[in-house]
Amino acid sequence: MYLIITRSFPPEIGGMQNLMWGLTCSLAKYNLVKVFADFHEQHKEHDSKVSFSIERIGGIKILRKYRKSYLINEFIKDNKNIECIIADHWKSLELIQSNKKKICLIHSKEINHTKGSRLNNRVLNVLNKVDHIVSNSKYTKNLAIEIGVSADKITVINPGVFPAKKIEKTTLKEAEKLFNNKNPRLITVSRFDKRKNHEKIVMALRNLKQIYPNIIYICVGYGEEEENIKKLVNELDLKEQVLFLKNIEQDLKNALVAQSNVFVMPSIIYKKSVEGFGIAYVEAAQYGTPSIGGKDGGASDAIKDKETGIICDGNNLEEIYSSIDLVLKNNSYKELGEKAKEYSTKFEWDKTVKEYLKILWYINFMIEKFNGIIYLIIFVVHFLGYAFYAYRCVFGTKDFCDQ
């Protein structure tokens, strides 16, 4: 059995939730899986449809951590068939008391603390005790090494995706109405926060409008920066070029991405927040839409620069502008999009899960090897004992033989 401990799980929406869902579903094809996840109001309907066991833990957040760890520790004591514990976050393992083999996933932001700080010490106390660490990108692996994590324990496995869903014609028509026959088409699907860099995309759009007067930029999402971005759009007189959408169905999001020319998210490092990977780039690529990502973070694992999209300096407005123009000029997005779609297949879960299985099977091999060595030692000790006894009987004193 694989025991999965996670703070983020569907029906809650988000990148981490999708990662843990994809990993769990994929591993469940190979072994029994038990999940401990946080409570969600709509979890009953969701959980009733899965083939594995999910236990939800609710309560006040500050107390939930202790209650959850207590229940997990009790479960581990009562179940001897657990082969490995897999956690979404170092905090998920902080109070787990078990000598079972452990794998911890790392993503970047949650480990990005000043070396020597209290939080850094807590991170290292957990990560340097686990058996394996799975990093979502080369960037995150290097960050972990910089803050003091042992490099030997880290394996880079990029997050996976399920094959893209076919989009219904009615949904494509709905998306087309939103574009309102405008071209070229830019899109960003993400939270509105400083790291995602909507601000500089909008500023670049002001200049792009001079070359592409019919351009449209669709922003799908919500977040604390939303009102600031809307205010900037008004100040730059771009209300006709920018469309804000949120709380729309996933199928419509997919249709909008599929009918866009380029997915734009040149992320930057903002305080401790950084784009560890960027699964949105891969999801766009699945529909043949190339991406523009930032050089800060793990975007270069998801985008092959100048082949499936562009990696640029998200802090440099001129680079963002010229990168968008480069993709749009001479319809370059078509060739980039074809290569992006082909490249996206390497991230599909049926391939990605095999990288996890290599680690899990290695763990099982080492356990069996260790157990084999123990049994061999016991056998050798017993054999030597009997051999010594036989030797004394043959060559020893009469008194010893009588004994």
Side-chain angles (χ1 to χ4, degrees), residues 283-322:
E283 291 169 343
Q286 287 184 292
Y287 289 104
T289 303
S291 293
I292 294 174
K295 70 175 182 63
D296 294 328
S300 57
D301 276 27
I303 303 168
K304 292 179 78 172
D305 191 30
K306 307 290 193 302
E307 289 187 46
T308 69
I310 304 289
I311 297 292
C312 69
D313 183 354
N315 292 296
N316 188 319
L317 180 60
E318 176 58 34
E319 269 201 42
I320 295 172
Y321 165 79
S322 59

Side-chain angles (χ1 to χ4, degrees), residues 253-308:
K253 284 183 193 177
N254 294 340
L256 289 166
V257 170
Q259 292 183 290
S260 295
N261 302 127
V262 58
F263 183 93
V264 192
M265 196 170 75
S267 299
I268 58 173
I269 297 173
Y270 179 72
K271 296 181 178 178
K272 293 180 181 179
S273 183
V274 59
E275 199 75 50
F277 176 67
I279 197 65
Y281 303 124
V282 178
E283 291 169 343
Q286 287 184 292
Y287 289 104
T289 303
S291 293
I292 294 174
K295 70 175 182 63
D296 294 328
S300 57
D301 276 27
I303 303 168
K304 292 179 78 172
D305 191 30
K306 307 290 193 302
E307 289 187 46
T308 69

Side-chain angles (χ1 to χ4, degrees), residues 7-22:
R7 295 147 35 110
S8 308
F9 209 69
E12 190 178 27
I13 296 170
M16 277 290 297
Q17 290 79 356
N18 290 344
L19 168 60
M20 296 311 296
W21 171 251

Side-chain angles (χ1 to χ4, degrees), residues 91-367:
K91 286 184 179 179
S92 295
L93 288 173
E94 197 169 20
L95 298 177
I96 302 305
Q97 300 165 351
S98 173
N99 59 1
K100 297 285 185 182
K101 298 294 183 179
K102 300 179 191 72
I103 297 173
C104 186
L105 278 60
I106 58 173
H107 318 280
S108 72
K109 181 182 176 182
E110 85 286 7
I111 64 168
N112 192 18
H113 305 292
T114 306
K115 199 167 183 179
S117 66
R118 180 173 170 272
L119 270 173
N120 172 251
N121 290 333
R122 285 175 63 192
V123 171
L124 296 181
N125 187 49
V126 174
L127 294 184
N128 283 332
K129 288 180 182 177
V130 302
D131 299 277
H132 288 274
I133 298 166
V134 173
S135 169
N136 64 349
S137 66
K138 292 189 284 288
Y139 171 84
T140 302
K141 177 180 178 178
N142 291 333
L143 175 62
I145 294 168
E146 285 174 17
I147 65 162
V149 178
S150 174
D152 295 340
K153 290 188 175 185
I154 308 172
T155 301
V156 175
I157 304 178
N158 300 133
V161 291
F162 290 111
K165 290 183 179 179
K166 183 180 178 181
I167 304 170
E168 298 294 330
K169 289 182 180 179
T170 52
T171 310
L172 289 169
K173 286 180 181 178
E174 187 181 354
E176 195 59 46
K177 284 181 183 178
L178 291 170
F179 281 114
N180 197 24
N181 294 319
K182 291 184 177 181
N183 275 292
R185 300 167 175 184
L186 316 181
I187 191 167
T188 303
V189 181
S190 75
R191 280 186 57 81
F192 284 95
D193 63 37
K194 290 283 190 182
R195 182 183 90 205
K196 303 295 184 179
N197 216 9
H198 293 81
E199 179 184 3
K200 283 199 170 58
I201 300 169
V202 170
M203 292 171 70
L205 192 66
R206 178 180 58 178
N207 295 331
L208 288 163
K209 186 176 74 168
Q210 310 306 316
I211 309 171
Y212 308 98
N214 208 30
I215 195 170
I216 182 170
Y217 174 42
I218 291 185
C219 298
V220 183
Y222 56 89
E224 58 274 10
E225 282 296 304
E226 183 177 351
E227 293 306 314
N228 290 335
I229 300 303
K230 286 180 177 178
K231 184 180 177 182
L232 180 63
V233 166
N234 290 333
E235 289 174 356
L236 298 179
D237 193 24
L238 293 171
K239 286 184 287 185
E240 294 299 314
Q241 284 73 39
V242 183
L243 176 63
F244 293 92
L245 298 170
K246 60 182 173 181
N247 299 324
I248 62 174
E249 294 294 326
Q250 185 62 47
D251 288 346
L252 181 55
K253 284 183 193 177
N254 294 340
L256 289 166
V257 170
Q259 292 183 290
S260 295
N261 302 127
V262 58
F263 183 93
V264 192
M265 196 170 75
S267 299
I268 58 173
I269 297 173
Y270 179 72
K271 296 181 178 178
K272 293 180 181 179
S273 183
V274 59
E275 199 75 50
F277 176 67
I279 197 65
Y281 303 124
V282 178
E283 291 169 343
Q286 287 184 292
Y287 289 104
T289 303
S291 293
I292 294 174
K295 70 175 182 63
D296 294 328
S300 57
D301 276 27
I303 303 168
K304 292 179 78 172
D305 191 30
K306 307 290 193 302
E307 289 187 46
T308 69
I310 304 289
I311 297 292
C312 69
D313 183 354
N315 292 296
N316 188 319
L317 180 60
E318 176 58 34
E319 269 201 42
I320 295 172
Y321 165 79
S322 59
S323 295
I324 297 172
D325 185 40
L326 182 65
V327 173
L328 297 178
K329 195 180 294 180
N330 302 320
N331 295 333
S332 297
Y333 61 84
K334 290 183 178 179
E335 184 180 351
L336 291 168
E338 287 176 8
K339 290 181 179 178
K341 189 171 185 178
E342 182 182 351
Y343 186 59
S344 71
T345 60
K346 81 181 278 288
F347 298 97
E348 289 181 1
W349 270 116
D350 63 345
K351 298 182 181 73
T352 301
V353 74
K354 290 176 182 175
E355 298 303 310
Y356 281 91
L357 290 171
K358 286 178 185 177
I359 296 172
L360 291 163
W361 289 339
Y362 174 76
I363 286 172
N364 288 341
F365 169 75
M366 292 306 292
I367 291 172

Side-chain angles (χ1 to χ4, degrees), residues 31-126:
N31 202 348
L32 288 174
V33 169
K34 169 76 174 182
V35 178
F36 277 88
D38 287 2
F39 177 85
H40 189 280
E41 288 181 356
Q42 296 159 349
H43 78 87
K44 287 186 178 178
E45 182 183 355
H46 174 272
D47 296 355
S48 66
K49 298 174 183 177
V50 304
S51 61
F52 44 85
S53 171
I54 305 174
E55 188 163 341
R56 299 280 182 169
I57 293 88
I60 302 169
K61 188 174 181 181
I62 193 168
L63 298 177
R64 185 194 312 150
K65 174 181 177 180
Y66 296 96
R67 181 168 176 265
K68 187 176 181 181
S69 59
Y70 171 78
L71 292 171
I72 293 169
N73 286 327
E74 289 301 304
F75 180 83
I76 294 170
K77 288 177 188 176
D78 296 338
N79 291 270
K80 307 302 181 186
N81 63 334
I82 297 170
E83 297 173 31
C84 187
I85 300 169
I86 303 169
D88 67 330
H89 194 290
W90 63 267
K91 286 184 179 179
S92 295
L93 288 173
E94 197 169 20
L95 298 177
I96 302 305
Q97 300 165 351
S98 173
N99 59 1
K100 297 285 185 182
K101 298 294 183 179
K102 300 179 191 72
I103 297 173
C104 186
L105 278 60
I106 58 173
H107 318 280
S108 72
K109 181 182 176 182
E110 85 286 7
I111 64 168
N112 192 18
H113 305 292
T114 306
K115 199 167 183 179
S117 66
R118 180 173 170 272
L119 270 173
N120 172 251
N121 290 333
R122 285 175 63 192
V123 171
L124 296 181
N125 187 49
V126 174

